[in-house]
Amino acid sequence: MSTESQGADGARTVPAEGRYVVSRTIPATPQEVFALLTDPARHHDTEPTDWVRGSLEEDPEPLTEVGQVFGIEMFHVNVPGRYDMHNRVIALEQDRTVAWEPGQYGPDGELGTGGWTWRYDLAPDTDGTRVTLTYDWSAVPAAMVESSGLPPFPPSFLEQSLEAVERAVVAG
């Protein structure tokens, strides 16, 4: 069973087993929103906290293809402190979709991912762009979900993320 709630700002949250789905209409074109979401140098602008710090590369290339990996400096007191994440792009359709799976490189140089993904779907809307953000942890093994406390945040975190995306796109 799935319930849906809608806030005064039109944000829609649909909790489901193993995923959160939140939508919001942002007063910008799909091209403007997509440009922000595919720019690793501005990845921190999509985050409502200081968990995402910045790109690991000085001048990162925009995301342009599935399989591309972009590194992000992260910080969280529970980890503890600073750590690096490398995100592999798993879906990319110009001005429509971008998704990635976070992971970390192991001692063997292989990128290992935990099974959770972030996905943004964009659709033109009369008031701008309808952005749907999905955080999906359904592929994470049950034992890891229980031991790590996934998801590490409530659905409101995604609502705040879309508010951050709107602020960043509107500010330019």
Side-chain angles (χ1 to χ4, degrees):
M1 179 171 159
S2 177
T3 60
E4 182 174 323
S5 64
Q6 186 164 352
D9 62 1
R12 178 178 58 91
T13 304
V14 181
E17 189 67 32
R19 77 178 56 129
Y20 292 144
V21 180
V22 177
S23 294
R24 179 186 186 92
T25 298
I26 294 178
T29 67
Q31 295 81 6
E32 292 168 320
V33 177
F34 189 81
L36 170 68
L37 296 174
T38 57
D39 183 352
R42 295 196 63 204
H43 195 66
H44 63 280
D45 290 336
T46 67
E47 163 79 35
T49 67
D50 68 348
W51 200 347
V52 175
R53 294 293 171 92
S55 176
L56 293 176
E57 297 176 18
E58 188 173 317
D59 189 21
E61 294 293 320
L63 306 179
T64 57
E65 62 186 309
V66 171
Q68 189 173 353
V69 175
F70 63 102
I72 298 295
E73 178 185 345
M74 307 283 290
F75 182 88
H76 198 277
V77 294
N78 294 339
V79 172
R82 186 205 181 282
Y83 61 102
D84 294 345
M85 291 299 288
H86 291 85
N87 303 291
R88 180 177 23 232
V89 177
I90 58 172
L92 188 86
E93 183 180 345
Q94 185 70 39
D95 302 330
R96 302 277 305 164
T97 300
V98 61
W100 57 82
E101 55 184 353
Q104 294 179 316
Y105 285 105
D108 60 0
E110 291 293 317
L111 180 62
T113 59
W116 57 90
T117 63
W118 292 92
R119 180 182 177 105
Y120 293 84
D121 290 293
L122 313 178
D125 186 276
T126 56
D127 296 324
T129 301
R130 189 72 175 165
V131 181
T132 300
L133 171 55
T134 303
Y135 176 74
D136 187 335
W137 67 95
S138 61
V140 177
M144 186 176 166
V145 170
E146 292 172 17
S147 68
S148 66
L150 281 174
F153 41 72
S156 61
F157 183 85
L158 273 71
E159 294 167 358
Q160 294 166 0
S161 292
L162 289 181
E163 290 172 13
V165 169
E166 181 173 336
R167 278 192 304 275
V169 170
V170 170

